[in-house]
Amino acid sequence: MKKIIFNLLYNTLLTKNFILPFKKGIRYVFVFHDISNASSFHNSSTYSTDIKIFENNIDWIQKHFKIVALNKLTDKLYRDDHHSNLASIVFDDGFYSVLESAFPYLNKKKIPFAVFANQTAIQENWLWCSSLLIAKKNNNVKYLENIFRKIVEYNKLSFEEFVRDPVTSICDSKLPNDDYSIFREPEYERDKIYLDEKDMKFLFSEGVIIGNHTKTHKHLSSCSNETIKQEIIENKEYLERLLNSEIDHFAFPFGFHTTYNAYALKIAHQAHSFVYDTTKNYLKFSNQDLIPRIALQNEDKAKLFSYINYPLIRNLD
Ligand SMILES: [Zn+2]
């Protein structure tokens, strides 16, 4: 019964703009991944946002919030004269499409943004999750069967179940020696999918804030403490060398509470001032271990309002 009422509320009342106009200084972070159309080789229904929908969503965010850089949004003391509601735009994983398709639009509108990047993607043009999803999209049975046979525990799920949601299946599995190189497929690395070092330097020179998103985007809560430390610290040091600048923002891969553990949290907090997860909430500055970010993909306006209204209605003060 409770769930029915909740769904009804979520799909009706919460889709209307009835709270935000009465709020001041509320802050949200919106996170996107890949911005590309269905015809792109690497496009995936799991992480891609259609270019036109992206532009519409940016317009929507700009209509309802003042969009500021991440370092302003996370600065408790920052406020403009109108005490506006604030938003920041960020991209995870460092897809090349951020430079190719998102940057021209954001730059034209002078909208600041941040990119949370991975060394493996920058240097080798692959991440295990995109390779896996490209294999799924192309129905590469040989590739998928090899992964299934070597990593997924047979008694847990069937091959068909694995293929239905391969990334979650891998997150639920334990990889020998935390080694994700089994996911490499040279054929999928030929097309430029991720920003390279030159692109990163260019975006940084344009004022884009660069954050740490771990070295290889592993599922940290399945990894050993040693791997967790390497994934977080080595990527921070790599990005700092590359950009000759301190990296102070860190976002957990996947960003759900099941995808990191207490040790990963400790290491992330020790090395960064700002640590983010992916939960549908706004920034409160108190009683929040992690800075929440709302993941967007291809939402319509009604859904966007639901996303921002729901945490506000839960915390009506
Ligand atoms: Zn990611």
Side-chain angles (χ1 to χ4, degrees):
M1 188 63 188
K2 214 172 153 188
K3 196 165 167 117
I4 295 169
I5 293 171
F6 170 78
N7 282 341
L8 200 67
L9 194 71
Y10 208 80
N11 294 317
T12 55
L13 185 62
L14 290 187
T15 64
K16 310 280 186 278
N17 188 24
F18 71 107
I19 308 178
L20 213 50
F22 304 101
K23 288 281 182 186
K24 281 192 180 301
I26 296 282
R27 304 177 186 212
Y28 286 91
V29 182
F30 295 100
V31 54
F32 294 91
H33 290 77
D34 172 49
I35 310 300
S36 67
N37 293 335
S39 56
S40 288
F41 166 74
H42 67 280
N43 180 280
S44 162
S45 58
T46 305
Y47 55 65
S48 301
T49 300
D50 184 90
I51 295 173
K52 196 67 216 160
I53 294 176
F54 169 75
E55 293 178 357
N56 290 341
N57 284 356
I58 291 297
D59 293 348
W60 180 89
I61 295 168
Q62 202 172 30
K63 187 175 166 194
H64 298 286
F65 297 90
K66 178 176 177 176
I67 304 179
V68 297
L70 202 52
N71 55 352
K72 279 188 182 162
L73 189 102
T74 51
D75 177 357
K76 206 174 173 174
L77 300 176
Y78 172 80
R79 58 183 277 178
D80 68 354
D81 294 341
H82 311 289
H83 201 20
S84 308
N85 294 321
L86 306 176
S88 280
I89 309 296
V90 309
F91 299 88
D92 275 5
D93 306 354
F95 281 94
Y96 178 61
S97 65
V98 171
L99 177 59
E100 199 182 28
S101 303
F103 176 73
Y105 193 73
L106 297 171
N107 194 40
K108 193 173 70 191
K109 297 183 132 222
K110 298 195 174 2
I111 293 175
F113 64 96
V115 174
F116 287 87
N118 314 79
Q119 181 180 3
T120 301
I122 296 169
Q123 289 190 317
E124 299 175 2
N125 194 38
W126 72 282
L127 285 181
W128 71 272
C129 17
S130 53
S131 295
L132 186 58
L133 290 166
I134 292 168
K136 176 186 167 168
K137 191 173 89 166
N138 289 289
N139 197 24
N140 186 343
V141 176
K142 198 175 147 212
Y143 175 102
L144 293 166
E145 271 181 352
N146 182 45
I147 304 282
F148 179 71
R149 213 165 7 92
K150 292 194 174 141
I151 297 175
V152 179
E153 289 173 53
Y154 296 59
N155 53 1
K156 264 195 182 165
L157 72 176
S158 68
F159 179 67
E160 289 69 31
E161 285 167 326
F162 160 66
V163 173
R164 215 170 293 145
D165 187 1
V167 174
T168 304
S169 307
I170 295 303
C171 288
D172 291 340
S173 309
K174 186 119 186 77
L175 273 72
N177 304 316
D178 303 328
D179 181 8
Y180 282 65
S181 58
I182 186 172
F183 292 96
R184 290 199 80 164
E185 170 57 67
E187 201 193 317
Y188 299 162
E189 297 167 25
R190 270 203 297 259
D191 215 69
K192 185 161 163 148
I193 297 178
Y194 292 101
L195 298 161
D196 62 21
E197 293 189 342
K198 201 169 132 253
D199 304 326
M200 293 297 297
K201 284 181 180 171
F202 169 74
L203 288 175
F204 182 69
S205 75
E206 290 286 317
V208 173
I209 290 177
I210 305 298
N212 178 2
H213 197 42
T214 72
K215 189 174 181 177
T216 326
H217 209 284
K218 290 175 179 173
H219 181 246
L220 293 180
S221 51
S222 312
C223 293
S224 69
N225 285 357
E226 196 190 344
T227 302
I228 288 172
K229 197 169 182 179
Q230 274 171 5
E231 281 290 312
I232 296 173
I233 301 301
E234 285 183 15
N235 197 56
K236 176 183 160 79
E237 290 172 353
Y238 163 73
L239 291 171
E240 289 181 340
R241 276 196 310 276
L242 179 70
L243 304 170
N244 195 21
S245 174
E246 196 191 341
I247 302 294
D248 214 12
H249 299 261
F250 173 84
F252 280 110
F254 308 105
F256 309 111
H257 67 97
T258 51
T259 55
Y260 53 82
N261 57 22
Y263 182 76
L265 260 177
K266 189 180 102 179
I267 297 295
H269 276 300
Q270 273 173 3
H272 309 84
S273 305
F274 308 99
V275 181
Y276 304 79
D277 65 359
T278 313
T279 49
K280 290 185 177 61
N281 208 344
Y282 57 92
L283 178 50
K284 293 176 186 155
F285 290 110
S286 60
N287 297 326
Q288 245 174 0
D289 251 10
L290 295 158
I291 300 168
R293 307 181 308 162
I294 297 182
L296 296 183
Q297 218 183 327
N298 287 305
E299 284 76 5
D300 60 16
K301 286 177 182 134
K303 200 52 163 234
L304 293 172
F305 276 125
S306 300
Y307 285 175
I308 57 167
N309 284 334
Y310 179 60
L312 288 174
I313 209 160
R314 276 177 61 198
N315 289 283
L316 278 181
D317 39 347

